[in-house]
Amino acid sequence: MKRRNFIQKTVLSASALTMGSALANINGRSTPLAPHKFNLKYAPHLGMFKNHAGDDPIDQLNFMAEQGFSAFEDNGMMGRDVALQTKMGETLAKHGMTMGVFVVDKGGNMANTLAAGKKEHVDIFLDGCRRAVEVAKRVNAKWMTVVPGGYERRLPVGVQDANVIEALKRGAEIFEPHGLVMVLEPLSDSPDLYLQNSDQTYMICKGVDSPSCKILYDIYHLQKTEGHLIHNMGLTWDEIAYIQIGDNPGRKEPTTGEINYKNVFKWIHEKGFDGVLGMEHGNSKPEKAGEQAVIDSYKKVDDFL
């Protein structure tokens, strides 16, 4: 090679590296030139990457998209300003991201229990369902989380089951014309909660018998209450429409606890699941290092093919 040509190629290569480095550090943070390609639709939530992206929700959504996350969930979406809801919906659409769950506002997980069969409780729930339809339109959502409430200890369990099924049937009637789905979430937070196990939730969905009433299988909660994750997911699979993630103990990102998430995600992928897996957990470490650890953990457990 002639000396002049060698020098020209060296200069061009150095320039290309410099430009790539500049593009990878826009806005003072390291950004991959191409988003990572995940096998499943993992959905972060607001605050998970605020040390990298800042406090603005739109900036946080942009950062999630830059990292390759193709979905997003926001439990508190119903409480946000209409203008922000609209802007968040537009941002998700721009990135081709799927909107995951938000919680139907009925006053809290333990409040206004549907198991009691009281008209005033059901009315509050149905009002939340109607308002949720309008929110879903703004953010292009399909799934909304519903927690039926606490046990009504003065009633037989069978009567409570019937009360919950009847209330959810009325909620499904609101969602069905819009193609929306309420997903019932069994929780491990308190023995006073009515809905705690996957088989119980499966029975309730069969009783409601609607495409608008399905299961939210939260892996963290159900590892605590029943374990045997893949087996129980298989038993209830035809009613599962949404999945949430959190390792146990601690409810942090995968690889921080006892759950073999690589195997679980491989099984879910082999089932042909095309829905959202909500990252409903905290970060095990603080600040930017902790946020990067979350991203790295998902890359690790998603590497199952």
Side-chain angles (χ1 to χ4, degrees):
M1 182 183 294
K2 292 183 178 180
R3 184 173 181 274
R4 184 174 63 184
N5 292 342
F6 175 79
I7 293 172
Q8 287 175 340
K9 288 187 177 183
T10 302
V11 170
L12 288 172
S13 298
S15 298
L17 288 171
T18 301
M19 183 176 293
S21 178
L23 289 172
N25 287 280
I26 295 172
N27 295 327
R29 66 172 184 260
S30 180
T31 304
L33 295 178
H36 181 79
K37 180 66 175 177
F38 289 103
N39 293 305
L40 295 168
K41 296 177 183 176
Y42 306 113
H45 54 79
L46 292 182
M48 182 165 271
F49 303 122
K50 66 179 181 180
N51 288 290
H52 277 88
D55 292 328
D56 183 77
I58 304 305
D59 289 341
Q60 292 187 41
L61 288 176
N62 290 333
F63 179 82
M64 294 171 195
E66 290 170 3
Q67 301 308 309
F69 294 106
S70 58
F72 165 75
E73 69 175 23
D74 182 19
N75 284 343
M77 182 66 83
M78 285 193 71
R80 303 195 186 282
D81 181 80
V82 170
L84 179 57
Q85 292 174 359
T86 302
K87 192 171 183 181
M88 291 174 74
E90 292 170 350
T91 304
L92 291 169
K94 180 183 73 174
H95 291 300
M97 296 175 72
T98 301
M99 179 66 204
V101 291
F102 60 85
V103 175
V104 172
D105 180 14
K106 59 175 272 295
N109 286 348
M110 289 292 296
N112 302 309
T113 177
L114 303 182
K118 294 181 179 180
K119 181 181 183 300
E120 58 267 33
H121 293 180
V122 176
D123 287 346
I124 289 170
F125 165 62
L126 296 179
D127 175 67
C129 292
R130 295 185 189 97
R131 290 185 287 114
V133 170
E134 298 307 310
V135 175
K137 290 177 181 177
R138 296 184 195 110
V139 298
N140 196 29
K142 181 177 181 178
W143 306 277
M144 287 76 62
T145 304
V146 169
V147 178
Y151 276 112
E152 183 57 62
R153 299 290 185 184
R154 293 169 294 181
L155 293 177
V157 172
V159 173
Q160 294 184 65
D161 293 341
N163 288 339
V164 171
I165 289 169
E166 288 304 307
L168 294 174
K169 282 184 176 180
R170 295 183 64 186
E173 290 173 356
I174 294 171
F175 290 131
E176 281 180 11
H178 306 280
L180 302 177
V181 183
M182 57 181 169
V183 285
L184 311 181
E185 183 178 15
L187 300 172
S188 63
D189 296 328
S190 167
D192 291 322
L193 281 160
Y194 165 81
L195 202 61
Q196 297 188 39
N197 297 297
S198 60
D199 63 327
Q200 175 196 17
T201 314
Y202 186 79
M203 178 270 293
I204 295 295
C205 288
K206 291 299 184 185
V208 176
D209 190 24
S210 167
S212 288
C213 183
K214 297 295 178 182
I215 297 172
L216 190 171
Y217 195 101
D218 187 308
I219 295 172
Y220 162 76
H221 283 296
L222 290 171
Q223 170 70 359
K224 290 176 65 180
T225 59
E226 61 188 32
H228 216 18
L229 294 169
I230 289 176
H231 174 75
N232 287 334
M233 291 179 79
L235 291 177
T236 59
W237 186 254
D238 64 305
E239 295 292 339
I240 294 174
Y242 199 95
I243 297 168
Q244 285 182 325
I245 304 160
D247 216 336
N248 183 62
R251 202 175 188 178
K252 306 300 182 185
E253 69 269 15
T255 72
T256 59
E258 65 190 357
I259 301 173
N260 187 337
Y261 265 107
K262 180 178 283 192
N263 276 359
V264 174
F265 289 158
K266 182 176 185 289
W267 183 86
I268 290 169
H269 184 268
E270 289 174 348
K271 294 291 286 185
F273 186 71
D274 191 42
V276 172
L277 296 94
M279 298 159 59
E280 197 185 38
H281 57 74
N283 299 357
S284 64
K285 301 173 184 176
E287 302 178 346
K288 285 188 175 183
E291 295 174 359
Q292 187 61 51
V294 170
I295 296 168
D296 292 342
S297 76
Y298 276 90
K299 290 180 180 178
K300 181 177 180 179
V301 295
D302 186 70
D303 185 20
F304 49 73
L305 293 181

